[in-house]
Amino acid sequence: MSTPKPKAVENGSKDSNSQMSALSGIASNTKVYRKYFGPGEVASMSLKQRGNVSEDAQEKTRQMACTFIEAVGLRMGFPRKTIGTAQTLYHRFRLFFSMKDFNYFDVSQATLYVSAKLHDTIKKPQDILEVAYTVRYPNAVNAVTGIADIDGERKAEDRRKLLAIERLVLETISFNFTIQMAFPYIIKFARQLDTSKDLSRLAWRLCADSHRTVITLEYPPHSVALSCLYLAALLATFEAPPLSSPEEATKAQALVDLFSHAGEWESKYLANIEDLHEICQCILSLLVSASGSIPHSHNTSPETPPSPSPYPSPRTPNPFKNFSGGPTAAEQTMLFTSSHFLRLKIALRDQHEALKTKGYPFRKRETSKPSNPRATLTKEEIINTPLAGSKEGDDPAIALIGKNEAT
């Protein structure tokens, strides 16, 4: 004869079974970290997150955010690697979260905080906010303390926002703290290729400006470094005054000749001429827009560099030293104009077409924009899909198509 179970035990067993059945109905979702995205994926994801904002307004906001990150980072004494990583984290964040939900000030401060942790240049959230206030509200800075007079409640609220967005930034990188940057590769490649110091410094500056674009989300750092060296050599030789010495001119031209044609260097450096062209085109597009919209001065203080700059800043000595006509002419020859960049872009495009005519196996590229702007994948689908494409039976417009015009 079986003894009846106590009522409390029986109810507890039912509750436990109901909880287990409820948990079994929840689908688990594992997000895999993707270090790089294709140009079409970046274009499609950016299109979805910007909503009704125009592409020009989105690019303008991106550049303002990068300028803000650089201004705050320099005032805090952060190294270039911390500033560059913060800018890249900002671009990645904008691929997954809508522009209307987060203003660029809050996101920029959070990415700078995360980047400082990643590179062991740690600062407290309040320290970053205090410096950010001086950049945002220069008229509110106290002349004695050098700190902006901001309400305490506002500071507490901004700190809560920073820490909340920090969590979202970490989610976009799937808590992967491995950071690789192009700067060390520039030094290694410059030594191996025996480039001049001035040319290497110009490549370093171009690499710093590359973090203001999305190419750091699309290409590995060694390809970006090689492209910056190639672009520096192009700027030193394309419609440019003679360099300071014949030796420097010979080295720059040898670099241009090497990377202008396919060869053994592609397997040696694990890069290809197609990627070099696209990265150079992207940086040149940035410099074209900057040269027409940002005032530049030859004597700009190193504390507030006009980045991106169409010509070397005081931190990057100009390689074009051999000139005639006195100091005034010197400053004029240092300037790279927007038309100069455009002519160089056209020359690179012509070189690209010439290689295609000779039968170079270029990859098949997609169109610049999705055929249906409303048809984009969800954030989860973007993260979990290893390759761009639509599912079987879906509308072809849902596939990740498109290519960023800048690249």
Side-chain angles (χ1 to χ4, degrees):
M1 183 175 178
S2 60
T3 57
K5 294 181 180 180
K7 191 172 183 180
V9 175
E10 185 178 350
N11 292 339
S13 178
K14 289 181 179 179
D15 292 342
S16 176
N17 292 336
S18 62
Q19 290 176 2
M20 290 298 294
S21 61
L23 289 174
S24 63
I26 300 177
S28 61
N29 183 21
T30 302
K31 295 182 180 180
V32 180
Y33 175 63
R34 294 186 58 191
K35 196 166 188 177
Y36 304 109
F37 301 89
E41 292 175 304
V42 171
S44 180
M45 295 166 74
S46 298
L47 177 62
K48 178 178 179 178
Q49 300 305 333
R50 74 168 180 256
N52 296 327
V53 179
S54 66
E55 188 175 358
D56 291 339
Q58 183 186 38
E59 179 61 25
K60 182 178 179 180
T61 302
R62 178 185 291 131
Q63 294 308 318
M64 289 192 297
C66 290
T67 301
F68 178 70
I69 290 173
E70 180 156 350
V72 175
L74 289 174
R75 290 196 183 188
M76 298 198 71
F78 284 144
R80 176 55 57 182
K81 60 182 181 181
T82 302
I83 297 173
T85 299
Q87 292 170 334
T88 300
L89 290 174
Y90 176 88
H91 302 323
R92 180 177 282 268
F93 183 90
R94 286 306 188 191
L95 296 183
F96 298 101
F97 296 97
S98 174
M99 290 184 63
K100 67 179 181 180
D101 295 336
F102 304 91
N103 69 64
Y104 74 86
F105 287 118
D106 294 336
V107 178
S108 299
Q109 291 163 178
T111 57
L112 201 55
Y113 180 55
V114 174
S115 179
K117 287 185 175 182
L118 295 177
H119 291 288
D120 292 328
T121 54
I122 301 175
K123 295 289 184 180
K124 295 179 181 178
Q126 194 59 40
D127 295 337
I128 294 178
L129 289 174
E130 290 291 354
V131 176
Y133 290 143
T134 63
V135 175
R136 294 177 63 180
Y137 312 112
N139 295 331
V141 176
N142 189 301
V144 178
T145 62
I147 299 175
D149 296 327
I150 304 297
D151 182 66
E153 293 183 1
R154 165 71 184 280
K155 290 182 178 181
E157 178 63 23
D158 287 345
R159 187 179 184 277
R160 285 192 292 269
K161 285 183 181 180
L162 187 151
L163 296 177
I165 298 177
E166 177 203 8
R167 172 76 182 194
L168 300 179
V169 173
L170 292 173
E171 288 182 5
T172 63
I173 61 174
S174 300
F175 294 87
N176 187 312
F177 305 127
T178 303
I179 300 297
Q180 287 184 318
M181 306 197 72
F183 296 116
Y185 288 99
I186 286 184
I187 298 175
K188 294 177 182 178
F189 291 160
R191 289 174 178 171
Q192 192 170 45
L193 295 167
D194 194 26
T195 62
S196 65
K197 289 185 178 179
D198 289 338
L199 204 64
S200 301
R201 288 169 182 158
L202 179 56
W204 179 281
R205 182 60 186 269
L206 291 170
C207 182
D209 286 342
S210 72
H211 288 87
R212 302 176 72 99
T213 71
V214 294
I215 61 175
T216 52
L217 300 178
E218 300 173 354
Y219 300 96
H222 69 276
S223 295
V224 176
L226 214 59
S227 302
C228 291
L229 285 167
Y230 178 43
L231 183 56
L234 285 172
L235 290 173
T237 56
F238 181 78
E239 298 181 2
L243 294 177
S244 58
S245 70
E247 183 181 1
E248 287 188 13
T250 302
K251 289 181 179 180
Q253 189 60 51
L255 202 62
V256 172
D257 295 340
L258 174 64
F259 295 132
S260 295
H261 302 88
E264 295 180 356
W265 64 268
E266 291 182 304
S267 58
K268 179 179 180 180
Y269 294 105
L270 299 178
N272 59 68
I273 191 172
E274 181 180 5
D275 289 345
L276 263 61
H277 279 191
E278 292 177 351
I279 295 172
C280 289
Q281 288 282 8
C282 186
I283 298 176
L284 283 172
S285 296
L286 174 73
L287 297 179
V288 167
S289 61
S291 60
S293 60
I294 300 178
H296 302 282
S297 171
H298 161 66
N299 296 316
T300 303
S301 168
E303 296 180 356
T304 56
S307 180
S309 172
Y311 53 89
S313 73
R315 295 181 300 168
T316 308
N318 180 54
F320 311 145
K321 300 175 181 177
N322 189 12
F323 57 88
S324 59
T328 304
E331 294 185 10
Q332 294 299 323
T333 55
M334 287 185 184
L335 296 175
F336 294 123
T337 63
S338 177
S339 60
H340 179 267
F341 292 133
L342 286 173
R343 289 193 297 272
L344 181 53
K345 282 175 65 68
I346 294 172
L348 281 175
R349 187 175 60 190
D350 292 342
Q351 185 184 110
H352 179 91
E353 294 299 325
L355 289 170
K356 188 183 297 184
T357 303
K358 294 179 181 178
Y360 182 85
F362 285 104
R363 295 189 298 271
K364 188 176 181 180
R365 288 297 178 180
E366 299 163 334
T367 55
S368 60
K369 295 181 181 179
S371 58
N372 183 1
R374 293 174 297 179
T376 51
L377 296 180
T378 63
K379 177 173 65 178
E380 288 76 15
E381 289 172 321
I382 290 294
I383 295 177
N384 296 316
T385 304
L387 294 175
S390 60
K391 296 180 180 179
E392 185 177 357
D394 286 344
D395 186 346
I398 299 180
L400 284 175
I401 60 176
K403 180 178 182 299
N404 195 327
E405 292 180 355
T407 57

